Every structure is written in C-alpha cells, then in structure tokens.
Amino acid sequence: VRIVLISPNAAERTALAELLRAEGHDVIATARRQEGLLATIDECPDVIIADAQVADLDGLALVEEVSRHCARPRMILLSSRTRRSLRKSGVICVPKPIDLAVLQRHMQPLPQQRLA
Amino acid sequence: MTSAGFSDDVIDGLQVLICGLDDEGHIHVFNRPCERLTGYMRQEVIGKSWLELFAIGDRAERVVSLWRTAHDETPSGPLESLCRKGRSIRWQFSRWNHSPPITLWAVGIDVTDEREALTRARQFERIVALGNLVSGLTHEMRNPLNGALLQLTLADRTLARLDPGTANPALTAVLQARSEMRRIAALLDDFLMFVRPQPLELQRTDLRQLVAHAVERSSPKAQAANIEVTIEPGPSAIALVDGSRVETAVYHLIANAIDAAAQVSQSKVAVRIVDRGNGIGIEVEDRGVGLPSSDIPIFEPFFSTKPGGTGLGLAIVQLVATDHGGMVTYERNRDATVFRLELPIVGGLPN
C-alpha cells in the first residue's frame, strides 16, 4: 500500500513510518501539511495517514484538496479525541495511542476494490 | 379599626419580612412573616436588638459591618443575613422619621432557595470546568504517549530481529516499559469515560463478534497470567447497543476475571452469551478468589479490592449497563464467580 504519512510529532512520524515500511508498505513521511499535499499529488497514494493536528479540524479539507489532483485516497486520521461525527464522511478515525493491528485493518482494500 | 390597627394588618398581610427599628436598632415592629420564618414570637423580640436576631452564623461579622453602614448613613444596597431556622434573608433598609420611635424600616425576603440554586449552579460549573480541564489534559497526554509507545514498539521489533531467540535484557526492559505505558493509556481511557460521558451511539451489533473483540483485547493480559479465555458456543445475538462501550465493559469483566483466577492459579475464564427472556446477558465466569464480602461497594468508582487496582473497571461496567437501561449483577456458586452484564433488547432480537 502506498502511504503518505503527515505528522508534526517526530516520535510518532519516525516510528510509524518505520513500522509500516517493515510491514511492506511504501511510506513517504512528512511533518507539514503542505509537503504532504505535494507528496500526495506526486505519488497518488492509496492511503493518507494524517495526525489530527495537521489535517485542519477533521481531515476532510485535506481529502478534498487531494481529490482535485488524483483519485480519492483513503483518509485515516490519527486523533487523541474520539470523532464519531467523521464516520459518515468516510474519514477513518484511529484513536491514540494507536493500535497497529487496527491501523492495518483500516488499510486493507475494501471488498469492491479486491474484486476490481 | 384605628389607622394604627389598619397599618398593622397591612404589614402582617404582606409576603415580606418587616421590622421597624429605633435609633439603637431595637425592634418595635415584627410582622407575621418574620415570626413564621424566624420561629420567634413578636412578644419575644420587641425591644431586642435586630443584630441579636440576625447577626448570627458564619455571616455575623459581615452583617454587623454592613448594618453599621446602613444604620449610620443613608442605607444602600441589600444585606443578607441568616435567621435562627437557618434561612437566608435579604434585607433592604429605609429611613423613616414620621412615626417615632421607629426611624428605620428593615424589609426582608427569603432567598434561601435562590441561594441554594445559585450554590448548586456554581458547584456544577466548577465540576464542568474541572471535567473540561481533566478531559483536555487527558487528550493532550495521548499525543506524547502515542509517540513513546510507537518508538518502544519499533525498538522491540528491532531488538527482536537483531537478537532473535535469546533472552535480551534490553528487549525485556522495552516490553516492560511498553506494558506500563499501555496501563497509563488504559487508565486515561477509563478516567475519560467518567469525566466526559458521551451520548450512546446505538447500532445493530453482533454481540458474539463484540465478545470476540473483547477477548482479543484481553489476550495480552491473559497470556501474561497464563490463563485461557474461552467463548462458549451458542447462537449469534444481535442487539441495538453502543458496541464500543459494551466491548469496553466486557473487556473489564474479563480483565477482572483474569486477575481473580490468577490469584489461585486457576487457568480458565469462560465467557458466554445467554438469552434472558426480555434481554441478553453476557456472562463472565471465573473460579478465582471471589469477593471478600457481599457488602463491599464494588461498583463505586475508585473502590478496588485488588492491590494496584484503579477501581474504575466495574464502575465503568455499571455505567455502560445503566446507560443502556440494563444492569450488572454477580453471583457466587460454589467456587465459581459469575458477573453478568444484562442488556435489554431494544430494536433487535437474538437470532
């Protein structure tokens, strides 16, 4: 899975990038939203994993921005708060501290994508 | 009826407290509402000092000070005093030089209920402010905690890869640090459920799957204690519940059962879903030590019988149960302890 990881928290970003790479994913990790956006436009990743601290209030704005340039990627928001309101928007919210198994589960292709 | 008698009737008929006072602050008029509220009869207080009656309790000093201002100068602003029955009275003073010896009228209203409502509102505001503070702090702590946990996971995997199959003290240290940090994270989650309860998000949920997730969540604890947690077979059960919360409640029941079983070297904990007629029960059974007494308040927050226990687990189970309109019960049969989370069937039926 091609992943763009955007997190201003160095401890979170570096460790998570390494752990995901060890699982066989392609990961571009950036600290800032603008760099992440440029990387996303270049790479057209399958998944964006963004810390809630960078992705505006809910990550939706970032997804909309990315969607103008390439196929809509799956958006996973890492948040210290429960954000039930995001469920309907398609943004997946993974609570901190992150359970890696849960994160991996959210990165699996959806059933229709598997069929395609 | 004389004009004086007419005035007395009018004064008695008013719904406010009225005291007529002379220059020295002695009482000459004491109407019926004054009698009712203070418990004094008119005859008892005529000639007595107003301060003697109303400068009492924890407000005495302030009443005396304000009284002096009101009495020596032109009275301004209200003065609040207590009376013998503990009621709060707010007084206003008016100068009067037309019916000696009365030179000052004190008019009071009972503000006890208003003050109590205000006190309750302030207490509630303080609790909300404290809840917001704790909630904000808890959320903020999750960010560095997350970074630290991820780094420890990376260290653990790197060490395991570099030095596989040997007892590496560095790896042991990393695993222990991670385990302790997970405890902090779990404690924060539990605490947050109390300070910031969320409304229920009811969804049709497969309880069997929910129980499986709770068992999976408890597996590190079960493995560490060398205890097998099994789900007894049975039909699937669908119910309208807040899956995340019920899973947390079941997790706490399983975690408690593991702790109890581990104390007597028992190796099994059983979880089962039972049809309770008008509801569904999720039972967790262990053959551990059991409760020391049936009278202890096990569902009270911060009460624990376990060394190092936070006392939040069972309180959370009860909170989840009651939020769903259900309850949590426990029973001891011979050597088995069974905790049962009972959920009413709302909008869904067991299949």
Side-chain angles (χ1 to χ4, degrees):
Chain A
V1 177
R2 285 169 304 162
I3 301 165
V4 169
L5 168 65
I6 315 169
S7 169
N9 182 326
E12 176 182 85
R13 186 179 64 251
T14 55
L16 189 54
E18 282 307 313
L19 289 165
L20 290 171
R21 282 181 193 126
E23 295 290 333
H25 303 299
D26 286 336
V27 184
I28 295 174
T30 73
R32 282 184 283 274
R33 176 196 162 97
Q34 199 55 29
E35 292 167 11
L37 184 64
L38 292 174
T40 305
I41 293 164
D42 283 347
E43 299 293 324
C44 286
D46 305 299
V47 178
I48 302 173
I49 300 175
D51 191 293
Q53 290 165 306
V54 285
D56 297 318
L57 287 175
D58 56 14
L60 276 176
L62 187 60
V63 173
E64 292 307 324
E65 224 168 320
V66 168
S67 301
R68 277 190 243 129
H69 303 281
C70 50
R72 195 181 182 90
R74 193 172 312 171
M75 180 79 199
I76 299 177
L77 201 64
L78 310 178
S79 175
S80 63
R81 292 169 191 271
T82 309
R83 290 164 178 248
R84 293 176 172 200
S85 60
L86 287 179
R87 283 186 194 159
K88 285 177 189 161
S89 69
V91 175
I92 299 159
C93 187
V94 174
K96 293 182 187 180
I98 302 163
D99 183 331
L100 284 172
V102 171
L103 187 63
Q104 288 277 21
R105 211 154 50 218
H106 286 305
M107 290 196 301
Q108 298 299 316
L110 297 171
Q112 61 267 36
Q113 287 174 313
R114 283 201 200 103
L115 288 173
Chain B
M1 184 184 284
T2 62
S3 62
F6 174 74
S7 302
D8 289 347
D9 283 349
V10 170
I11 287 172
D12 278 341
L14 293 172
Q15 294 301 308
V16 293
L17 292 80
I18 295 179
C19 291
L21 311 174
D22 64 20
D23 271 343
E24 303 300 317
H26 294 134
I27 298 169
H28 290 266
V29 171
F30 196 76
N31 73 346
R32 290 210 191 286
C34 275
E35 287 184 325
R36 277 198 295 273
L37 202 70
T38 63
Y40 287 110
M41 297 307 290
R42 193 173 309 188
Q43 300 88 318
E44 290 179 78
V45 299
I46 296 296
K48 280 194 176 173
S49 163
W50 183 90
L51 282 175
E52 197 180 318
L53 263 63
F54 296 107
I56 57 172
D58 57 359
R59 277 179 246 166
E61 204 174 312
R62 183 165 167 73
V63 169
V64 171
S65 160
L66 287 168
W67 159 263
R68 287 197 176 125
T69 308
H71 195 251
D72 296 343
E73 301 161 13
T74 306
S76 63
L79 178 158
E80 273 190 35
S81 75
L82 284 172
C83 72
R84 191 170 65 168
K85 283 183 168 177
R87 308 290 295 180
S88 288
I89 307 165
R90 185 179 297 145
W91 297 95
Q92 290 279 2
F93 297 90
S94 299
R95 285 260 167 235
W96 181 262
N97 292 316
H98 308 293
S99 51
I102 295 169
T103 54
L104 191 68
W105 288 101
V107 181
I109 52 170
D110 183 359
V111 292
T112 313
D113 295 342
E114 184 189 323
R115 279 187 70 89
E116 280 176 2
L118 196 65
T119 305
R120 278 198 298 273
R122 282 184 185 146
Q123 278 172 347
F124 181 70
E125 275 172 19
R126 274 201 290 273
I127 290 168
V128 169
L130 186 66
N132 284 338
L133 185 74
V134 172
S135 167
L137 186 66
T138 305
H139 285 304
E140 287 312 312
M141 284 172 75
R142 283 179 172 173
N143 284 318
L145 198 60
N146 181 52
L149 270 168
L150 286 168
Q151 289 288 345
L152 286 171
T153 304
L154 182 61
D156 146 31
R157 292 190 185 177
T158 307
L159 285 169
R161 200 171 54 242
L162 290 175
D163 199 4
T166 57
N168 183 336
L171 182 58
T172 308
V174 164
L175 290 175
Q176 279 179 354
R178 198 174 63 174
S179 163
E180 291 303 303
M181 285 204 170
R182 287 210 179 281
R183 273 185 59 193
I184 295 173
L187 188 59
L188 292 179
D189 285 345
D190 290 350
F191 199 57
L192 209 55
M193 276 190 87
F194 272 94
V195 296
R196 185 54 72 82
Q198 297 268 337
L200 288 182
E201 195 176 82
L202 298 175
Q203 285 182 328
R204 281 179 70 81
T205 306
D206 182 343
L207 293 181
R208 191 154 286 278
Q209 200 172 35
L210 179 150
V211 166
H213 284 157
V215 170
E216 187 186 325
R217 193 167 149 191
S218 67
S219 63
K221 188 179 178 76
Q223 280 167 19
N226 200 23
I227 284 172
E228 186 190 3
V229 182
T230 54
I231 305 171
E232 291 187 2
S236 67
I238 308 292
L240 197 64
V241 296
D242 187 321
S244 163
R245 290 218 207 172
V246 173
E247 185 188 311
T248 297
V250 176
Y251 163 78
H252 279 297
L253 290 179
I254 296 170
N256 274 355
I258 291 170
D259 286 337
Q263 284 184 50
V264 291
S265 304
Q266 282 292 326
S267 59
K268 285 191 178 173
V269 166
V271 188
R272 67 183 79 90
I273 297 171
V274 291
D275 184 353
R276 304 278 299 170
N278 57 349
I280 295 172
I282 301 173
E283 292 184 350
V284 179
E285 180 182 307
D286 69 77
R287 292 177 186 275
V289 286
L291 295 169
S293 154
S294 59
D295 298 333
I296 53 174
I298 53 171
F299 296 114
E300 264 186 30
F302 306 109
F303 177 86
S304 179
T305 58
K306 294 182 290 188
T310 64
L312 284 174
L314 284 175
I316 284 175
V317 178
Q318 191 178 47
L319 186 72
V320 171
T322 51
D323 280 356
H324 281 82
M327 61 178 167
V328 53
T329 59
Y330 70 95
E331 57 194 58
R332 179 90 175 160
N333 292 325
R334 297 189 179 191
D335 57 346
T337 303
V338 179
F339 273 86
R340 183 183 304 115
L341 174 62
E342 292 191 31
L343 301 166
I345 299 170
V346 182
L349 290 164
N351 293 334

